[in-house]
Amino acid sequence: MKNTFRYIAAAALCLAAVACYKEDPITSELGKPEYTVTDGSDSMTHYIYETWQKTGVFILTDYTSKDYVWNVSALSKNVLSKVDASVLPDAVSAVKTALFDIYSDSFKKQYFPMKVFLAESLNTNYADNVPAGYGRSYLVAAGLSSETLPMSAEAALAYKGKINAMLWGYFIYMNRLIDIPEGFFSPCADVYEASYERDTNKDAAGYINSIGFWRYDETNIVYAHMAPSRAKDVADFVEMITTHTKAEMDALMDGFPILYMKYNILLEAVKTACGIDLQAIGDAK
């Protein structure tokens, strides 16, 4: 009984740490601030400073592995490389457009992670050079290099989808910052993270959509035809919504009633919980 109580208390402490991390300054064990953000005359430095002042979010461009390896209750397997100084202004501008400019300061203060790392590359446990990643208390905006910056309109749109997918699926949803009704998940409850390798229809056009998913889980390193997790499902919907207009979404969902039902439930849940119209983000692409 005592052990059970300890496990419950430990879990509650972890959730509380994620939910309340912006209420107090981040300090090292010596009591000094771990991150120092100073204002500057150039627009990039001023923007990073102003964002921290208004929202408590650290946009981090200079860091070491200790800043992201600790992942609240476990060690992260992410490996980041920093953005080259020569393209740093373009990198900050790209992430500002893809993520920060979309939301109000009050929303960022309540729902954004404590840290957003800017990286030239991000290697994870499932793939190398992925465009975006996450930890329990941070997001990673990666793929920011002289080869990708400045981004074309097409690349910027795809980037917006990837990083917003990480925000909603892997930070907001996984940390339980909003409630998504079970009605979103229930049509696929029995097939989350199920393998379709032996299904003869697995590669048929529209087959995965008919089940209620946008795609197989490309992050799975064992099977190519694995249904996504709940978090990945949310992330995939957000990626699609924020990169397509309402008319485009209607066309893509035509003939797939489960997709359409989940789409409407997610839009309504997000709007009710925090006033964000995800489809408006896609319409403004």
Side-chain angles (χ1 to χ4, degrees), residues 28-69:
S28 69
E29 59 187 9
L30 296 178
K32 297 179 180 179
E34 187 171 356
Y35 303 114
T36 301
V37 184
T38 56
D39 202 355
S41 57
D42 62 285
S43 59
M44 182 194 76
T45 303
H46 178 69
Y47 176 73
I48 292 173
Y49 175 79
E50 186 178 49
T51 298
W52 169 67
Q53 282 278 301
K54 291 181 176 180
T55 69
V57 178
F58 293 92
I59 300 175
L60 297 174
T61 61
D62 189 16
Y63 47 83
T64 65
S65 60
K66 74 179 181 65
D67 294 308
Y68 59 81
V69 167

Side-chain angles (χ1 to χ4, degrees), residues 161 214-215 235-245 249 252 279 282:
W214 285 106
R215 60 183 67 88
D236 286 345
F237 265 87
V238 172
E239 182 176 351
M240 292 298 295
I241 293 167
T242 57
T243 55
H244 294 83
T245 65
M249 289 298 294
L252 289 167
Q279 187 55 71

Side-chain angles (χ1 to χ4, degrees), residues 79-96:
V79 178
L80 284 63
S81 65
K82 291 185 285 188
V83 178
D84 188 90
S86 64
V87 295
L88 203 50
D90 284 336
V92 172
S93 178
V95 176
K96 179 177 180 289

